[in-house]
RNA sequence: GGGCCCGUGGUCUAGUGGUUAUGACGUCUGCUUGACGUGCAGAAGGCCAAGGGUUCGAAUCCCUUCGGGCCCACCA
């Protein structure tokens, strides 16, 4: 038995079931980008989603829905749209996921094997992500999905590094670095988060050299005592005046340190005297640099104390060492008291453990010397909404050189070898993908310094932002197609979330400027975050994410998309709410039923003489169209969604459709008057469908094909109309007021809306008289 | 401590100087009206956070206060 085909005639509600009937067809529409076009090019540097764990909470899916609406609307505005789909596949999260999934540790798995397992995880996760994108008919270029771990992408990342190396933009240095012991790598400032943790503030005494006096110091990091390089007291603090310039003896270690007056020491905190150690926190770094002190390193990269910490602490982990040193100090008789305090601790935002500051040999991208230029560029960039520009500017003002080397496996390899004889780095030519940890350098390579020919490859990888920050260069074929690049770069738009302004947006501007001396795009579109029903940001780590696939299955992709875009202005956070989503779904059913009504009447293609009632709704629709088209041009799809919903639900359906029903049925009207209604009904509804098509691609295309054309609505264009006389719209307002008055009157009289009523039609509504008499059954 | 953003009916949200402030969800009342009960019609509900100022006129501009969010710095 063949199931009855669901159509406008026999289905009352819009549903996911109806979407599934046409999803394959809609997803196979051809939007292939063509370089040889007369049209204006509109290109999107879309965020390649991070394939790092179980995919996507609803906030992310909502963001991609909005991006798709931007792409679709520009297409319908007649632009040639370059709409890439990418997958960000590098970095630590996938390593974590792979370790967990396979029950292995990166430390005891061979690099080759580990990478293979990561790739398997990624392929599986990527498939799920692509399925979600397709489930709501994301219309990006799925035929050319790019992957940041592909040989061609990694070759680009490496080439841009080599180019920057040659331009002197890469520096190498041992600097105190943020180091996460768990990740086993240095991390960028942007990856640090702060947390209030309970900790002990330990008060203990240093003896003063050649004196029987003692100075009291307070520290949260007593295990670094052996690295103490100076004691600071505030110059205005009278308690310590006598000690300034004296020498103190470090308890246990019996080493000498100076006591110096420095405004950094705050009299009101702790004992008023602070010991500076390499490196307890950022300030230690700043002070040691400022006073040009010698650093002593006590913690190694495994998070254990080294020989500098002394026999008693050597080999202990940091926390254990802290406990131990407190005991040792107590035995020594130096401890005055221990205070419990809340301490704002820098944490690795992935491992959730405190970071250590350890000097590492790392590569950096120079930022500080071009910071002013970057701020200028940020000001030149159009940012939507404008207010979010400040986030970028504020960050630029304080950003430092960017550490880019990572000691991990799954990332783009740093394309360098080092001469076995003298250690000089060997830099290969741009254009190829190099894997120095397992490959020899290009044949015939000689050390530029000592002419040696034996090399060892760098084993490190790049920070993943090194890859994703050149996405605009990859999708415009910077390395691979000069003509394509020259016609598509700089791109039109970077759409992204507000949460990665400091990272993706910032690093992209930096890198593209360094390589091309230009901004990578004209406009950045910064969306807010998806919040859960309590107003908290949805994130994988919090586990408060709502699964978008369940929501889409239940309410349909169009309802989800309409909800996503109508919920908040671009840039504002949006809270998930099932009842609002239901509201969107109701609207689609409303639209569906308007279409069902229209389908009952024959189509009227040729334009007859238009009655005043019809002229009113035609002019009103023009006004709505103009407002929506303008909003789409300004990359604001929030406005069209709400305007159209409002118009259809509060004007078009209750007032206009009721006004012309009788005429459309042809009862008591001339053939010409009937034709006017049928023509108007279809021409205005067609316009509304077109305006909605970028937002709700399923329902609009279904209706379009049943009512108007075999050719998909998504191949049509939307344009605005020339300004016209609006006086009829004012009369229309009076018309709607009159309708409400009649409805109220009938309600007061407790009679049915169908019943006869006697009421005078105002003079100004005479042009609508015939329709009104029929509509309200006026005697 | 510094910066940025925000504060509109129960909830969410438009609205940046001009008549009775937008819409949605929810609430209440009535209704099978030729597409829609996931509907239709109607109603209630807001001193636009508070105070002051500019203006003929302020939700809108300025100042102050209070409250919320985010960011930066600092917290030995």
């Amino acid at each position: 038995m063949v199931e009855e085909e669901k159509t406008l005639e026999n289905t009352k509600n819009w549903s996911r079931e109806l979407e599934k009937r046409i999803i394959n067809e809609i997803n196979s529409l051809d939007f292939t980008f063509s370089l040889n076009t007369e049209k204006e090019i509109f290109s999107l540097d879309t965020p390649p989603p991070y394939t790092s764990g179980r995919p996507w909470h609803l906030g992310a899916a909502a963001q991609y829905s909005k991006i798709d609406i931007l792409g679709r609307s520009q297409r319908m505005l007649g632009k040639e749209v370059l709409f890439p789909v990418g997958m960000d596949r590098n970095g630590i999260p996938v390593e974590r996921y792979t370790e967990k999934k396979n029950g292995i540790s990166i430390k005891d798995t061979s690099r080759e094997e580990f990478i293979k397992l990561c790739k398997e995880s990624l392929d599986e996760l990527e498939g799920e992500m692509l399925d979600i994108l397709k489930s709501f008919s994301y219309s990006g270029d799925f035929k050319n999905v790019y992957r940041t771990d592909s040989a061609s992408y990694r070759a680009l990342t490496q080439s841009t590094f080599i180019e920057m190396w040659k331009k002197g933009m890469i520096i190498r240095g041992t600097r105190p670095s943020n180091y996460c012991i768990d990740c086993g790598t240095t991390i960028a400032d942007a990856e640090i988060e702060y947390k209030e943790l309970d900790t002990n503030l330990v008060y203990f005494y240093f003896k003063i050299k050649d004196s029987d006096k003692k100075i009291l110091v307070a520290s949260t990091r007593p295990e670094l005592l052996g690295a103490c390089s100076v004691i600071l007291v505030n110059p205005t603090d009278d308690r310590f005046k006598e000690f300034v310039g004296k020498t103190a003896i470090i308890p246990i270690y019996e080493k000498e340190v100076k006591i110096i007056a420095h405004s950094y020491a705050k009299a009101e905190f702790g004992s008023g005297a602070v010991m500076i150690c390499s490196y307890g926190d950022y300030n230690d770094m700043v002070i040691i640099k400022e006073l040009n002190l010698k650093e002593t390193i006590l913690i190694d990269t495994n998070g254990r104390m080294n020989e500098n910490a002394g026999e008693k602490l050597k080999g202990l982990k940091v926390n254990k060492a802290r406990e131990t040193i407190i005991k040792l100090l107590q035995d020594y008789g130096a401890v005055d008291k221990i205070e419990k305090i809340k301490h704002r601790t820098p944490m690795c935002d992935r491992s959730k453990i405190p970071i250590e500051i350890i000097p590492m040999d790392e590569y950096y991208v120079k930022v500080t010397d071009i910071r002013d230029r970057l701020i200028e560029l940020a000001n030149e960039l159009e940012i939507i909404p404008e207010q979010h520009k400040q986030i970028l500017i504020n960050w630029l003002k304080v950003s430092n050189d960017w550490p880019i080397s990572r000691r991990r496996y799954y990332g783009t390899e740093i394309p360098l070898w080092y001469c076995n004889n003298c250690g000089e780095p060997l830099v290969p030519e741009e254009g190829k993908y190099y894997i120095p940890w397992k490959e020899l350098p290009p044949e015939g390579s000689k050390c530029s310094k000592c002419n040696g020919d034996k090399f060892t490859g760098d084993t490190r990888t790049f920070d993943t932002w090194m890859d994703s920050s050149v996405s605009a260069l990859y999708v415009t074929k910077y390395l691979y197609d000069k003509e394509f690049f020259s016609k598509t770069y700089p791109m039109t738009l970077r759409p992204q979330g507000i949460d990665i302004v400091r990272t993706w947006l910032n690093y992209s501007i930096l890198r593209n400027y360094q390589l091309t001396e230009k901004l990578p795009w004209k406009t950045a579109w910064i969306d807010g975050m998806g919040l859960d029903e309590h107003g908290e940001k949805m994130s994988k780590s919090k586990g408060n994410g709502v699964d978008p696939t369940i929501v889409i299955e239940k309410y349909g992709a169009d309802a989800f998309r309409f909800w996503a875009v109508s919920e908040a202005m671009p840039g504002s956070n949006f809270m998930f709410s099932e009842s609002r989503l239901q509201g969107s779904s109701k609207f689609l059913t409303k639209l569906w039923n308007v279409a069902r009504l229209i389908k009952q009447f024959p189509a009227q293609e040729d334009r007859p003489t238009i009655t005043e009632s019809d002229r009113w709704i035609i002019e009103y629709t023009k006004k709505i169209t103009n407002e929506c088209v303008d909003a789409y041009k300004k990359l604001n799809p929030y406005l069209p969604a709400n305007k159209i919903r409002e118009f259809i639900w509060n004007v078009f359906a209750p007032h206009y459709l009721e006004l012309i029903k009788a005429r459309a049925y042809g009862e008591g009207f001339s053939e010409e008057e009937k034709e006017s209604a049928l023509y108007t009904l279809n021409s205005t509804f067609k316009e509304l469908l077109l305006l909605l098509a970028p937002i709700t691609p399923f329902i609009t295309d279904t209706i379009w094909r049943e009512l108007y054309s075999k050719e998909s609505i998504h191949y049509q264009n939307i344009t605005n109309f020339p300004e016209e006389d609006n006086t009829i719209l004012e009369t229309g307002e009076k018309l709607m007021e009159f309708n409400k008055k009649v409805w109220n009157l009938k309600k007061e009289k407790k009679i049915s809306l169908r019943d006869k009523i006697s009421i005078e039609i105002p003079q100004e509504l005479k042009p609508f008289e015939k329709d009104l008499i029929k509509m309200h059954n006026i005697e």
Side-chain angles (χ1 to χ4, degrees):
Chain A
M1 247 201 63
V2 181
E3 204 184 321
E4 192 189 6
E5 172 122 11
K6 301 222 182 238
T7 60
L8 279 169
E9 280 94 349
N10 62 23
T11 316
K12 284 186 174 184
N13 307 321
W14 181 251
S15 66
R16 181 62 175 164
E17 203 186 329
L18 290 169
E19 292 181 351
K20 281 185 172 165
R21 281 179 47 224
I22 56 160
I23 190 163
N24 288 334
E25 205 169 336
I26 287 198
N27 283 345
S28 57
L29 294 173
D30 185 12
F31 299 127
T32 308
F33 175 76
S34 164
L35 193 59
N36 301 311
T37 175
E38 297 294 305
K39 299 177 184 174
E40 185 186 334
I41 290 175
F42 187 96
S43 52
L44 295 110
D45 184 18
T46 52
Y50 209 114
T51 33
S52 61
R54 274 275 95 75
W56 280 13
H57 55 76
L58 183 135
Q63 191 175 95
Y64 279 86
S65 300
K66 293 188 217 179
I67 292 170
D68 183 55
I69 292 165
L70 293 178
R72 285 178 178 276
S73 56
Q74 293 300 320
R75 217 178 267 137
M76 290 185 77
L77 286 169
K79 310 237 177 101
E80 186 70 26
V81 177
L82 176 60
F83 194 176
V85 176
M87 290 284 149
D88 190 0
R89 311 200 345 154
N90 288 312
I92 293 169
V94 73
E95 296 187 349
R96 284 274 163 70
Y97 178 83
T98 302
E99 285 180 309
K100 221 171 155 185
K101 181 184 145 207
N102 297 293
I104 55 169
S105 161
I106 189 167
K107 286 170 197 146
D108 8 275
T109 310
S110 80
R111 186 161 186 168
E112 198 111 38
E113 175 67 12
F114 193 79
I115 287 173
K116 203 185 116 223
L117 292 171
C118 285
K119 274 206 162 70
E120 286 171 10
S121 308
L122 286 163
D123 289 343
E124 170 198 323
L125 294 167
E126 177 183 297
E128 290 180 29
M129 271 186 172
L130 291 172
D131 284 347
I132 294 177
L133 287 172
K134 288 175 183 166
S135 78
F136 59 83
S137 197
Y138 191 74
S139 65
D141 183 3
F142 287 104
K143 279 186 231 123
N144 299 295
V145 174
Y146 73 85
R147 297 169 179 85
T148 59
D149 63 343
S150 66
S152 62
Y153 201 107
R154 284 185 170 172
L156 171 72
T157 302
Q158 292 182 337
S159 295
T160 56
F161 170 80
I162 294 164
E163 203 178 324
M164 284 163 66
W165 176 285
K166 287 178 177 170
K167 288 181 179 172
M169 293 164 173
I170 305 292
I171 48 177
R172 180 182 179 173
T174 48
R175 297 196 199 183
S177 303
N178 310 317
Y179 188 87
C180 173
I181 287 154
D182 208 20
C183 299
T185 180
T186 51
I187 58 175
D189 287 349
E191 295 169 299
I192 289 171
E193 64 180 31
Y194 288 83
K195 234 180 170 165
E196 295 284 341
L197 293 183
D198 291 313
T199 192
N200 290 320
L201 179 60
V202 183
Y203 290 71
F204 56 97
Y205 290 102
F206 285 58
K207 284 179 189 145
I208 303 295
K209 193 185 174 189
D210 304 328
S211 155
D212 48 9
K213 293 203 166 148
K214 304 183 284 186
I215 181 167
L216 187 63
V217 168
S219 173
T220 53
R221 302 291 308 265
E223 73 278 14
L224 296 175
L225 185 60
C228 176
S229 50
V230 70
I231 292 171
L232 304 182
V233 298
N234 195 284
T236 63
D237 192 340
D238 291 336
R239 293 173 297 175
F240 298 111
K241 263 213 163 97
E242 55 174 321
F243 297 130
V244 174
K246 295 261 166 47
T247 299
I249 310 289
I250 302 177
I252 301 169
Y253 293 90
E254 310 296 341
K255 283 193 257 176
E256 299 182 0
V257 285
K258 285 275 176 205
I259 301 168
I260 293 175
H262 193 284
S263 59
Y264 167 67
K266 298 281 177 279
E268 60 281 5
F269 191 93
S271 68
V274 50
M275 69 171 187
I276 299 297
C277 306
S278 44
Y279 291 94
D281 64 23
Y282 295 117
N283 301 301
D284 291 345
M285 250 162 78
V286 172
I287 301 284
I288 284 168
K289 204 173 160 194
E290 181 189 323
L291 301 176
N292 204 16
L293 300 169
K294 188 176 162 285
E295 65 177 21
T296 310
I297 299 310
L298 300 190
I299 302 171
D300 67 22
T301 52
N302 298 318
R304 291 179 186 276
M305 311 304 287
N306 65 19
E307 60 280 0
N308 293 336
E311 276 310 311
K312 297 243 168 71
L313 296 186
K314 188 183 168 190
L316 296 180
K317 289 195 169 174
V318 172
N319 282 335
K320 188 76 194 157
R322 191 172 304 159
E323 289 169 25
T324 306
I325 193 87
I326 292 173
K327 281 204 193 84
L328 291 174
L329 281 167
Q330 280 166 335
D331 296 345
Y332 193 87
V335 175
D336 176 60
K337 61 173 173 178
I338 297 173
E339 211 174 88
K340 295 262 182 220
I341 60 160
K342 290 271 181 199
H343 183 218
R344 192 154 176 263
T345 313
M347 315 272 285
C348 169
D349 71 359
R350 291 184 174 133
S351 322
K352 311 292 175 201
I353 63 164
I355 59 140
E356 290 296 338
I357 297 171
I358 296 177
M360 302 286 290
D361 181 21
E362 302 294 359
Y363 287 108
Y364 294 79
V365 172
K366 268 203 257 180
V367 177
T368 43
D369 55 346
I370 55 166
R371 188 189 284 154
D372 291 344
R373 179 68 189 125
L374 292 175
I375 292 171
E376 272 173 41
L377 283 169
N379 278 313
E380 285 166 29
L381 180 66
E382 182 191 26
I383 293 187
I384 299 174
E386 216 177 336
Q387 73 227 33
H388 288 343
K389 181 174 276 192
Q390 209 54 45
I391 300 170
L392 176 63
I393 304 276
N394 287 349
W395 181 246
L396 284 172
K397 282 181 186 161
V398 297
S399 63
N400 284 314
D401 291 345
W402 169 24
I404 52 169
S405 37
R406 296 287 183 276
R407 288 149 215 277
R408 299 294 291 196
Y409 286 175
Y410 205 84
T412 300
E413 291 82 359
I414 295 180
L416 292 173
W417 284 263
Y418 303 95
C419 173
N420 286 351
N421 184 38
C422 70
E424 184 71 5
L426 174 79
V427 191
E429 283 306 306
E430 295 104 315
K432 266 194 65 190
Y433 173 39
Y434 300 101
I435 311 179
W437 60 268
K438 71 168 185 185
E439 290 172 358
L440 292 171
E443 241 185 86
S445 294
K446 293 260 190 260
C447 174
S448 59
K449 203 169 166 189
C450 72
N451 218 30
D453 59 1
K454 296 269 188 296
F455 299 89
T456 304
D458 199 313
T459 57
R460 288 171 294 178
T461 58
F462 287 120
D463 178 9
T464 52
W465 296 111
M466 276 293 278
D467 300 287
S468 45
S469 58
V470 290
S471 58
L473 296 178
Y474 188 80
V475 299
T476 57
K477 306 184 198 282
Y478 174 66
L479 206 57
Y480 303 107
D481 184 338
K482 291 288 171 241
E483 193 205 349
F484 194 98
F485 178 72
S486 71
K487 286 189 176 168
T488 54
Y489 187 92
M491 298 182 77
T492 318
L493 186 69
R494 155 62 68 84
Q496 64 160 76
I498 193 172
D499 53 336
I500 48 174
V501 166
R502 299 188 334 185
T503 47
W504 197 36
L505 187 69
N506 167 36
Y507 292 141
S508 297
I509 293 171
L510 167 69
R511 294 254 281 140
N512 282 271
Y513 169 66
Q514 286 172 317
L515 292 161
T516 69
E517 293 179 9
K518 286 179 190 163
L519 278 168
W521 345 266
K522 184 175 156 283
T523 306
W525 190 89
I526 309 296
D527 198 15
M529 302 315 300
L531 310 176
D532 66 14
E533 49 275 70
H534 309 292
E536 289 201 44
K537 181 177 155 178
M538 280 187 202
S539 66
K540 281 176 199 138
S541 51
K542 273 195 217 154
N544 62 345
V546 177
D547 186 344
T549 54
I550 293 170
V551 169
I552 288 171
E553 275 308 306
K554 191 166 169 193
Y555 295 99
D558 274 355
F560 175 70
R561 293 168 62 106
F562 192 92
W563 167 79
V565 78
S566 66
E567 191 59 17
M569 286 277 274
S572 302
N573 294 342
F574 48 99
M575 226 187 268
F576 176 65
S577 152
E578 197 154 349
S579 68
R580 267 176 238 289
L581 193 53
Q582 275 166 1
S584 299
S585 150
K586 283 183 191 174
F587 168 63
L588 297 180
T589 288
K590 183 75 185 172
L591 182 72
W592 182 250
N593 280 289
V594 170
R596 294 183 66 211
L597 176 69
I598 292 175
K599 178 125 200 228
Q600 292 180 12
F601 307 117
Q604 170 72 34
E605 298 285 337
D606 301 322
R607 186 183 173 110
T609 307
I610 300 295
T611 72
E612 276 300 277
S613 305
D614 295 333
R615 198 165 75 82
W616 165 59
I617 207 69
I618 287 171
E619 289 306 316
Y620 208 143
T621 306
K622 277 187 189 172
K623 185 181 158 225
I624 295 289
T625 302
N626 285 344
E627 286 170 353
C628 292
V629 168
D630 281 352
Y632 277 135
K633 282 181 181 164
K634 288 177 185 156
L635 305 172
N636 180 356
Y638 169 91
L639 230 61
N642 285 292
K643 274 211 186 309
I644 296 165
R645 168 160 59 183
E646 222 174 299
F647 177 65
I648 288 181
W649 220 322
N650 299 337
V651 179
F652 192 77
H655 293 280
Y656 180 68
L657 290 183
E658 294 301 329
L659 189 66
I660 59 134
K661 244 182 209 172
R663 186 149 53 91
Y665 282 106
E667 293 166 4
F669 289 89
S670 72
E671 194 58 25
E672 191 167 49
E673 285 169 324
K674 178 181 171 182
E675 281 175 6
S676 173
L678 298 182
Y679 170 83
T680 305
L681 200 52
N682 284 292
S683 67
T684 51
F685 189 58
K686 228 170 164 170
E687 199 60 47
L688 296 171
L689 285 177
L690 288 166
L691 293 172
L692 273 174
I695 299 170
T696 52
F698 292 89
I699 190 171
T700 51
D701 208 24
T702 305
I703 297 173
W704 182 265
R705 289 177 199 235
E706 279 206 46
L707 290 183
Y708 302 122
S709 163
K710 288 273 166 284
E711 189 185 59
S712 171
I713 194 170
H714 303 299
Y715 289 146
Q716 316 302 318
N717 282 345
I718 48 179
T719 48
N720 44 6
F721 294 95
E723 287 288 327
E724 282 189 33
D725 176 28
N726 275 345
T727 50
I728 187 131
L729 294 180
E730 287 162 31
T731 318
E733 293 301 313
K734 299 275 179 1
L735 171 71
M736 291 190 280
E737 276 168 34
F738 178 74
N739 288 339
K740 288 186 178 186
K741 194 173 142 195
V742 176
W743 287 326
N744 262 329
L745 206 61
K746 287 189 171 178
K747 190 183 162 87
E748 272 169 37
K749 292 187 169 179
K750 294 192 190 272
I751 58 173
S752 158
L753 290 177
R754 262 196 309 196
D755 290 339
K756 289 193 175 185
I757 189 166
S758 177
I759 186 169
E760 197 183 332
I761 295 171
Q763 191 57 38
E764 58 199 342
L765 298 182
K766 287 292 176 198
F768 309 112
E769 187 171 29
K770 228 174 148 184
D771 286 333
L772 284 171
I773 288 172
K774 274 284 177 189
M775 175 182 183
H776 296 298
N777 202 2
I778 296 172
E779 289 184 301

